[in-house]
Amino acid sequence: MSHVRRQIREAAATALAGLATTGSRVFQSRVYPLRDADLPCLLISTDDEQVQQENMVAGGELTRELTLTVRGVAKATADLDDTLDGIAEQVEPVLNGATLGGNVKTCRLTGIKVEMDDVLEKPVGIITLEYRTLYFTTPAAPGTAL
């Protein structure tokens, strides 16, 4: 079984596949450069995680707060801001309150950031949506959500 972090990332990617703007162009933890044919797309990653152990005497339950990041990337055009806002409008209802395969107790949007990047073949805009997810495991079974 894979770590619950991976299960959450994969569930988010599955849930977001097929949106009107990005279609099936949903990538997890992508490190290779994007090509024009890849755009517009979503990049899904699991980033920072805070872990607290409860009831250490009994083997403990781990309370985990994980940042799930969704980046929408689109080519720079005259209506770039509209495209990025459209991506956010499509992503938000899918992830707000989602259980992501039954792995998380809460999933809430905590911030949005928009930036421009000119390192690809053509300049792009990026909208980053950060979600805070809460899930529980035990120290002995990080691949099983409680």
Side-chain angles (χ1 to χ4, degrees):
M1 169 126 333
S2 59
H3 198 287
V4 176
R5 290 171 55 91
R6 178 179 176 182
Q7 295 174 49
I8 291 169
R9 187 174 56 250
E10 289 175 348
T14 298
L16 293 170
L19 297 180
T21 304
T22 53
S24 63
R25 293 174 305 276
V26 178
F27 306 105
Q28 298 176 49
S29 304
R30 186 178 178 104
V31 293
Y32 299 106
L34 295 169
R35 300 166 297 151
D36 279 355
D38 296 326
L39 302 176
C41 70
L42 295 176
L43 305 176
I44 313 293
S45 62
T46 45
D47 299 326
D48 301 336
E49 183 171 5
Q50 303 299 315
V51 181
Q52 296 179 6
Q53 186 163 4
E54 309 293 331
N55 195 3
M56 293 191 319
V57 175
E61 177 179 278
L62 299 178
T63 300
R64 298 173 176 256
E65 287 189 69
L66 172 68
T67 301
L68 172 68
T69 304
V70 179
R71 290 177 183 85
V73 184
K75 293 179 195 177
T77 62
D79 61 348
L80 177 60
D81 287 327
D82 294 341
T83 301
L84 295 176
D85 288 341
I87 290 171
E89 182 179 15
Q90 293 165 26
V91 168
E92 288 184 46
V94 174
L95 291 184
N96 282 326
T99 62
L100 299 173
N103 290 305
V104 302
K105 303 301 180 191
T106 61
C107 182
R108 62 182 173 82
L109 181 65
T110 58
I112 297 176
K113 180 173 71 170
V114 176
E115 59 189 311
M116 303 305 159
D117 189 341
D118 62 358
V119 299
L120 299 176
E121 293 175 19
K122 294 183 179 177
V124 297
I126 303 168
I127 188 161
T128 302
L129 296 91
E130 287 191 352
Y131 288 85
R132 201 70 176 156
T133 65
L134 175 68
Y135 72 101
F136 302 93
T137 65
T138 63
T144 303
L146 301 178

